[in-house]
Amino acid sequence: MTKPFKVPHTLVLLLSMMLVAYIATWIVPQGYFETVTLENGRSTVVPGTFELAEEQIRLTPMDFLVALPRALAAAQDIIFFVFIVGGVLAIARATGTIDALIGRLLERFGQKPNLLIFMVVFCFALASGAIGMAGEYIPFVLILVGLCKAMRLDAMTAVGMIVTGYGIGYGVSAFNPFTVMVAQNVADIPVYSGIELRLAIFIPFVLIGFHHVWSYATKVLNDPASSMTASLPCPLGGKEITQYPKLELRHQLILFGLVATIITAVWGISQKGWYLYELGALFILWGLFTSIVGKLNADVAANNFIEGVKDLASTAMLIGVARGVALIMEDGQILHSLVHGMSSPLSMLGSELAAVGMFVMQTLLNLFIPSGSGQAYVTIPLLTPVGDLVGVNRQIVVLAYQFGDGFSNMIIPTNAVLMGIIGMAGVPYHLWFRFCIPLILKLMVAASLVLVLAVVFDYGSDVQPLLEVMN
């Protein structure tokens, strides 16, 4: 009798991807584009300069093994941020604040899960689209998992709300400083131009995401056995409760501290260029504040912090290994070769197909270049001349980049934020893939339709550089 196929562990999947990337460095022709350094210190590629490497780099098995600790080191910022958040949330839970908050939310939304799901998807999409929030959602994972469990939903619903909002927000962002601003700068069109279309499609795409999550949640409500995570242990580690404490003044002060922490983080990101190191410091400060207000002695707070960190050890490992794929491809000089190979055929397509082809290309490349701004610096300089040649305005090139980068963030295993979120929720990647792939296909169809209509109606022609400038 044939044994049924068993999906391997997420770590095995990631290591397999690293191995495939390693083998590809021996097969794919190695090459590179020339790069120039911009005023902001970032490097961008120069179109038309691709050359095969004169000296082929052959990575050894030792190089492959060394890439693992290097990948962990490269991801240290988000790994330690996740550790800090996990530890601080464990302190907050020890004060009863998390359980009291869940109890209060149950009173308001217990009979209206559809309203809760829409609000979470909408708010997270708005935050991602406006200021590029992503890793900042990690503190909400266990809170939403606990809330969903109390509402007879599951961890998959909680992850679905967060990641759907995050991915759609990035994909249809009107003014994300890490994607829209960077891509329009590189494409040499006015920053935040074309905003009317992006604002117009925001709600329709959010509704697509909401419908997908709510359809799944409805099945779980009607039949708990249909939950994709029914056989998995609860990520709350048996700490879920049925009787919730009253939301007292000390709990309210702790939650006020959390809100102040997030507002300060948003201000620091937008005004001071802060990111994970500074955000980690803010959460440490909130943890100290929580311990004092929650009247926890130092030893109790320390023990809870360590327990929270220990619970996320496997998640941290997955986040680190996810960086290894791009690292090996860069070492083996094949990343630029893949970009060149994907972009060249687009010049032979009609304008409508070329626009959709750019979207598909950006989707695939996000697997290897999970940084939104990094992807813009590599691909936009190559695709704008192609667009000029086939009649795809640069505004449409930027829109195709946004769709490809944003939506695929929801499913690529090399996205450290995604791996952190599903890891905290205890959702294996293969189950998340099954949940998310139908949504990705729906979004890709809708995005392709928008791109075709954008070409038909000449979207972006008002800011398109003149022909003599392009030549």
Side-chain angles (χ1 to χ4, degrees):
M1 182 177 178
T2 305
K3 291 179 65 176
F5 173 73
K6 181 182 178 183
V7 178
H9 190 280
T10 305
L11 181 59
V12 176
L13 289 173
L14 290 172
L15 290 173
S16 299
M17 291 178 63
M18 286 184 63
L19 182 59
V20 170
Y22 170 70
I23 295 172
T25 65
W26 286 74
I27 300 172
V28 176
Q30 298 179 8
Y32 54 87
F33 289 97
E34 292 181 14
T35 61
V36 295
T37 302
L38 304 176
E39 292 181 0
N40 61 6
R42 297 294 297 265
S43 295
T44 186
V45 301
V46 180
T49 62
F50 180 80
E51 293 182 0
L52 292 176
E54 294 181 4
E55 183 179 347
Q56 300 292 300
I57 295 177
R58 298 301 181 193
L59 300 181
T60 66
M62 187 62 180
D63 292 325
F64 173 80
L65 295 175
V66 170
L68 284 167
R70 286 178 58 212
L72 288 167
Q76 61 180 309
D77 51 357
I78 191 167
I79 287 175
F80 287 107
F81 177 67
V82 167
F83 278 154
I84 290 169
V85 168
V88 171
L89 284 178
I91 292 175
R93 190 172 189 98
T95 67
T97 301
I98 303 300
D99 296 326
L101 173 63
I102 291 173
R104 185 63 178 271
L105 290 173
L106 276 175
E107 291 176 9
R108 178 158 298 191
F109 297 108
Q111 304 303 316
K112 302 175 183 177
N114 55 338
L115 180 59
L116 173 72
I117 292 172
F118 177 79
M119 285 182 58
V120 173
V121 173
F122 176 82
C123 291
F124 283 12
L126 189 64
S128 289
I131 56 175
M133 287 182 68
E136 296 84 353
Y137 299 142
I138 290 175
F140 295 97
V141 175
L142 293 181
I143 296 173
L144 286 174
V145 168
L147 183 60
C148 285
K149 291 285 288 184
M151 296 175 70
R152 297 187 301 109
L153 296 170
D154 62 356
M156 187 68 78
T157 306
V159 173
M161 287 189 278
I162 298 170
V163 178
T164 297
Y166 156 47
I168 290 176
Y170 263 79
V172 298
S173 167
F175 32 76
N176 186 327
F178 303 114
T179 54
V180 178
M181 180 187 294
V182 171
Q184 290 185 325
N185 261 318
V186 176
D188 196 25
I189 57 177
V191 172
Y192 298 150
S193 58
I195 193 173
E196 297 83 5
L197 173 63
R198 298 193 297 276
L199 288 174
I201 63 177
F202 179 79
I203 291 296
F205 275 82
V206 166
L207 289 175
I208 292 173
F210 161 72
H211 178 266
H212 183 77
V213 179
W214 173 236
S215 296
Y216 171 81
T218 302
K219 294 177 183 177
V220 175
L221 285 171
N222 294 333
D223 179 16
S226 66
S227 167
M228 297 173 70
T229 59
S231 61
L232 299 177
C234 177
L236 300 176
K239 300 173 186 174
E240 60 271 24
I241 61 176
T242 55
Q243 296 294 324
Y244 294 91
K246 182 181 178 182
L247 194 65
E248 299 174 354
L249 177 61
R250 63 191 178 100
H251 300 142
Q252 295 173 14
L253 290 173
I254 290 170
L255 291 173
F256 174 79
L258 175 60
V259 172
T261 298
I262 294 172
I263 291 174
T264 304
V266 170
W267 171 81
I269 291 169
S270 60
Q271 302 297 320
K272 298 292 185 179
W274 290 359
Y275 200 41
L276 293 174
Y277 293 142
E278 293 83 1
L279 299 190
L282 288 176
F283 273 93
I284 290 173
L285 181 61
W286 180 57
L288 294 172
F289 174 79
T290 298
S291 300
I292 295 170
V293 175
K295 299 179 181 179
L296 297 179
N297 69 51
D299 286 345
V300 171
N303 284 328
N304 278 280
F305 184 88
I306 295 300
E307 286 300 315
V309 170
K310 283 163 55 177
D311 290 342
L312 295 176
S314 59
T315 299
M317 181 60 68
L318 296 177
I319 291 171
V321 176
R323 291 283 176 93
V325 178
L327 201 62
I328 288 176
M329 296 183 72
E330 291 169 3
D331 290 346
Q333 298 188 140
I334 64 171
L335 189 57
H336 283 190
S337 298
L338 290 177
V339 174
H340 174 70
M342 290 183 183
S343 60
S344 296
L346 295 176
S347 60
M348 296 181 287
L349 300 175
S351 53
E352 290 86 355
L353 284 178
V356 176
M358 290 176 185
F359 165 40
V360 174
M361 172 187 161
Q362 297 284 8
T363 299
L364 295 174
L365 284 176
N366 203 27
L367 181 66
F368 312 115
I369 317 174
S371 163
S373 56
Q375 190 172 336
Y377 284 114
V378 171
T379 61
I380 296 297
L382 304 179
L383 292 182
T384 48
V386 173
D388 296 342
L389 180 66
V390 300
V392 177
N393 292 333
R394 296 186 178 192
Q395 195 73 268
I396 301 174
V397 173
V398 171
L399 189 62
Y401 149 78
Q402 277 187 246
F403 288 159
D405 169 69
F407 299 149
S408 58
N409 276 336
M410 299 160 58
I411 202 167
I412 58 168
T414 52
N415 178 2
V417 172
L418 171 64
M419 300 310 289
I421 291 172
I422 67 174
M424 286 192 77
V427 175
Y429 176 76
H430 71 277
L431 291 182
W432 171 250
F433 184 90
R434 280 175 49 196
F435 172 88
C436 192
I437 192 64
L439 173 59
I440 294 294
L441 295 176
K442 296 172 196 173
L443 293 172
M444 290 189 74
V445 170
S448 298
L449 177 60
V450 170
L451 289 169
V452 169
L453 292 174
V455 172
V456 170
F457 290 100
D458 207 19
Y459 171 63
S461 60
D462 55 327
V463 295
Q464 182 72 5
L466 298 175
L467 184 61
E468 56 264 31
V469 174
M470 294 185 291
N471 291 331

